[in-house]
Amino acid sequence: MMNANIPNTPQPTKKSWQVATGAALIASLALAGCSATGTNLAASTSGANATSSSSAAASSDSGASSSSLSYTKSGQKLDVKTHYSAKDSQVDASNATAVNLSSPSATTGVSVENGVITINAAGTYKLSGEYSGQIKVEVTKNDKVTLILDNATISNSSGAAINIVQADEVVLYTASGTTNTISDGSSYSATGENDPDAAIYSKADLTLAGEGNLKVTGSYQEGIHTKDGLVIAGGTVDVTAKNTGIKGKDYVDILGGTINVTAQQDGIKSTNSTEDNRGWTRMSGGTVTISAGDDGFKAEHTLEISGGTLNVTKSNEGIEAQYINILDGTVNVTSSDDGINASYTESSSSTTSTSSSQNSQGSANAPGGMGQPPAGSRGGNSNGGGMGNGGPGGMGGGHGTFAVVDAAVNILGGTVTVNANGDGIDSNGVATLSGGTVTVNGPFTGGNTSLDTNGDLLLNGSTVVVANAGDMFEAPASTSTSGYVKVTGSFKQGSTVQVADSSGKVVANYKVSSSSAKLVMVSSSAITKGQSYTVYSTTSSVDANATSVASGAIKVGTVTAS
């Protein structure tokens, strides 16, 4: 059982990195293991979930674009104009020009020469059969071309299989019930900076739509790459790439479909870093699964998730952008470094050295902080720990710098689960968790923490649970509207921790994903600062939404929420 002498030291107002070494206080506490990909915490109320929209992303008639994406820094929904129209997903094949890839011949709008089939007029073309060579689209800048892929197999050993040289927009539409395969070779005959580098390469706006299957293999560099905007509206898209799986310059907008990406480098990203109203990535529907050697889901400026399911099963950093806004949907991230990372390193970024939760401003005499640590330091020894939310802390840290940059993580809704070996959620600016459910499992190897910000960490209504190795802890900003409860000690996988209010109503249930966990923190709108809460542990099965203490649960102790 836990020692009943629970510390209740007042919480400092500055950011505190604390070393959780209170294992002796609750060394016998046994808490439950759970699936690393599941959501493990349920608050007793649903009030933590902020109202958010899960509707499809804006289409081309959604209104004018903002001149800058900086308005999204506080979690505002993207108000941007794309090239996509609903008509792109309503393709009529009855009047399409048929192209037999197995025995191609020139016809109106189509030329065939030297292993290249060129589409040279606007219109709809239906491609069927197998072809070894290149499909080239080269029309005027105002022309739209729709390519219906009807059991088409296109491979090019020396360059892009589909090369869109010029157009206003090209729609790749997969016919229902078909499987279409696009692939390139491992070496290209033309390797200049402006030459194609992907199995599907476009210098025009590109739309993927339809109800069939599209399999893309990028053996040279990228799988799908457009130098303009990219919209994925439907179909099943499987991409394997030597470098980046799916890359759009101005934007990547995922409206629906099933997308699976396996990439040796980045999974899906937008790359325009020079225009403020570009370089955004958005997901409002569909299911996306990414296995990446580097970053999973990425944008140069704003990344928004407002619906659908995103699974990053492997990554260095799972989600990365300047502003990361999760409004709705289901997000599961596994990362070897940071799970969700908001950063901005341009020299023009605004910085500040003051923040109510910034540990570089901590007083050497304040409980929970020892002032600014040496560069590169991320922790130190401390006598703090046990149940409670105060106590002396260890040295601060933060990758050697505490500058607060123009970056933000905002979670307003949805279900977010992060399994991280680095920081779980890391913002070089601020982080505001105001809705939805957030679970961070890890890190369990030390040297990082579950929630890490250079600016304010605001817990404003999200249902949050984090569990990690316990050598570091960042205290949320004192201006947070939700309270939190912190428990430190030894957690044995296979049991459940429950937190109940003074009336006995359970406000949080958590199943630990690793026996290496030494610290658990829970927060929600149901946890009030200054109120007393009782912590229980049990080996029995507990429903994630349970509001009653499980039969046979052991009372561990009580703590006052901060």
Side-chain angles (χ1 to χ4, degrees):
M1 293 290 297
M2 178 178 177
N3 191 321
N5 184 16
I6 307 301
N8 187 23
T9 307
Q11 191 65 30
T13 59
K14 307 298 182 182
K15 175 187 290 186
S16 300
W17 288 101
Q18 298 183 357
V19 180
T21 58
L25 292 176
I26 51 174
S28 63
L29 179 61
L31 303 178
C34 67
S35 169
T37 59
T39 301
N40 305 316
L41 175 75
S44 61
T45 67
S46 59
N49 292 327
T51 301
S52 61
S53 171
S54 60
S55 61
S59 63
S60 58
D61 60 356
S62 64
S65 302
S66 170
S67 60
S68 172
L69 296 182
S70 61
Y71 71 92
T72 65
K73 69 189 301 179
S74 297
Q76 293 88 339
K77 193 174 179 66
L78 278 164
D79 179 16
V80 286
K81 184 177 181 180
T82 75
H83 67 271
Y84 176 76
S85 166
K87 294 181 179 179
D88 293 340
S89 296
Q90 301 168 357
V91 175
D92 182 6
S94 61
N95 296 318
T97 299
V99 179
N100 183 354
L101 298 176
S102 300
S103 181
S105 59
T107 187
T108 302
V110 181
S111 65
V112 181
E113 185 177 1
N114 298 326
V116 178
I117 299 174
T118 301
I119 308 298
N120 51 45
T124 301
Y125 301 82
K126 184 176 180 179
L127 281 57
S128 304
E130 299 183 10
Y131 187 68
S132 296
Q134 184 177 94
I135 306 298
K136 180 187 290 186
V137 177
E138 192 166 11
V139 295
T140 73
K141 291 183 178 180
N142 298 319
D143 284 341
K144 177 180 177 179
V145 171
T146 298
L147 301 180
I148 300 174
L149 302 179
D150 184 14
N151 287 319
T153 298
I154 306 166
S155 60
N156 185 6
S157 61
S158 59
I162 296 179
N163 180 18
I164 301 167
V165 177
Q166 183 172 279
D168 177 38
E169 178 193 359
V170 172
V171 178
L172 294 182
Y173 185 92
T174 54
S176 178
T178 68
T179 298
N180 306 275
T181 303
I182 313 296
S183 60
D184 62 5
S186 59
S187 62
Y188 279 22
S189 58
T191 58
E193 182 178 349
N194 295 318
D195 290 319
D197 62 356
I200 298 176
Y201 180 83
S202 178
K203 290 185 177 179
D205 288 327
L206 179 64
T207 299
L208 305 183
E211 300 174 352
N213 293 275
L214 177 62
K215 297 184 177 181
V216 181
T217 301
S219 299
Y220 177 63
Q221 291 292 336
E222 331 292 12
I224 300 171
H225 180 193
T226 174
K227 302 283 285 190
D228 216 322
L230 173 64
V231 172
I232 303 177
T236 298
V237 181
D238 297 313
V239 179
T240 302
K242 182 179 179 179
N243 198 328
T244 300
I246 297 175
K247 179 163 69 173
K249 181 181 179 182
D250 289 344
Y251 50 83
V252 175
D253 200 9
I254 300 174
L255 310 181
T258 301
I259 302 150
N260 302 300
V261 174
T262 301
Q264 294 184 29
Q265 296 297 318
D266 296 336
I268 299 175
K269 67 179 180 181
S270 58
T271 62
N272 192 332
S273 62
T274 60
E275 297 178 79
D276 286 341
N277 63 333
R278 299 297 188 184
W280 55 267
T281 301
R282 176 170 61 184
M283 179 178 176
S284 58
T287 300
V288 176
T289 302
I290 299 171
S291 175
D294 200 354
D295 300 331
F297 201 53
K298 186 175 183 178
E300 285 294 328
H301 292 144
T302 297
L303 186 149
E304 176 183 292
I305 300 172
S306 60
T309 299
L310 172 66
N311 297 309
V312 180
T313 61
K314 177 187 175 184
S315 66
N316 180 35
E317 294 192 337
I319 296 175
E320 185 173 44
Q322 181 180 5
Y323 308 127
I324 298 172
N325 298 325
I326 300 176
L327 313 178
D328 206 342
T330 300
V331 178
N332 299 304
V333 173
T334 298
S335 65
S336 59
D337 196 355
D338 298 339
I340 297 175
N341 181 38
S343 62
Y344 188 53
T345 57
E346 295 290 335
S347 58
S348 59
S349 66
S350 60
T351 62
T352 178
S353 60
T354 61
S355 170
S356 63
S357 67
Q358 184 184 354
N359 58 340
S360 64
Q361 299 297 308
S363 167
N365 297 318
M370 292 183 64
Q372 184 171 1
S377 173
R378 291 298 307 270
N381 294 323
S382 166
N383 295 321
M387 280 189 66
N389 298 294
M395 275 189 171
H399 304 293
T401 178
F402 297 99
V404 182
V405 305
D406 184 15
V409 173
N410 298 288
I411 299 179
L412 292 82
T415 301
V416 179
T417 303
V418 176
N419 303 286
N421 285 332
D423 294 323
I425 297 176
D426 182 3
S427 176
N428 291 343
V430 299
T432 304
L433 311 185
S434 57
T437 299
V438 180
T439 302
V440 180
N441 299 309
F444 297 119
T445 55
N448 290 283
T449 191
S450 300
L451 303 175
D452 177 18
T453 64
N454 286 8
D456 281 338
L457 169 61
L458 294 166
L459 303 183
N460 287 351
S462 293
T463 299
V464 181
V465 63
V466 304
N468 56 53
D471 62 337
M472 293 183 180
F473 174 72
E474 176 180 338
S478 60
T479 52
S480 296
T481 61
S482 294
Y484 71 91
V485 171
K486 182 181 63 147
V487 184
T488 62
S490 295
F491 296 81
K492 184 178 179 182
Q493 187 172 358
S495 300
T496 301
V497 62
Q498 296 185 291
V499 179
D501 63 18
S502 58
S503 69
K505 184 178 181 179
V506 171
V507 297
N509 298 283
Y510 178 62
K511 294 183 179 180
V512 177
S513 63
S514 172
S515 59
S516 297
K518 301 297 181 185
L519 179 151
V520 170
M521 185 201 78
V522 298
S523 174
S524 79
S525 60
I527 297 177
T528 304
K529 296 177 183 179
Q531 296 298 309
S532 179
Y533 294 86
T534 304
V535 178
Y536 298 87
S537 71
T538 178
T539 57
S540 62
S541 177
V542 177
D543 184 88
N545 297 306
T547 58
S548 299
V549 177
S551 176
I554 299 172
K555 180 180 177 180
V556 175
T558 60
V559 62
T560 300
S562 293

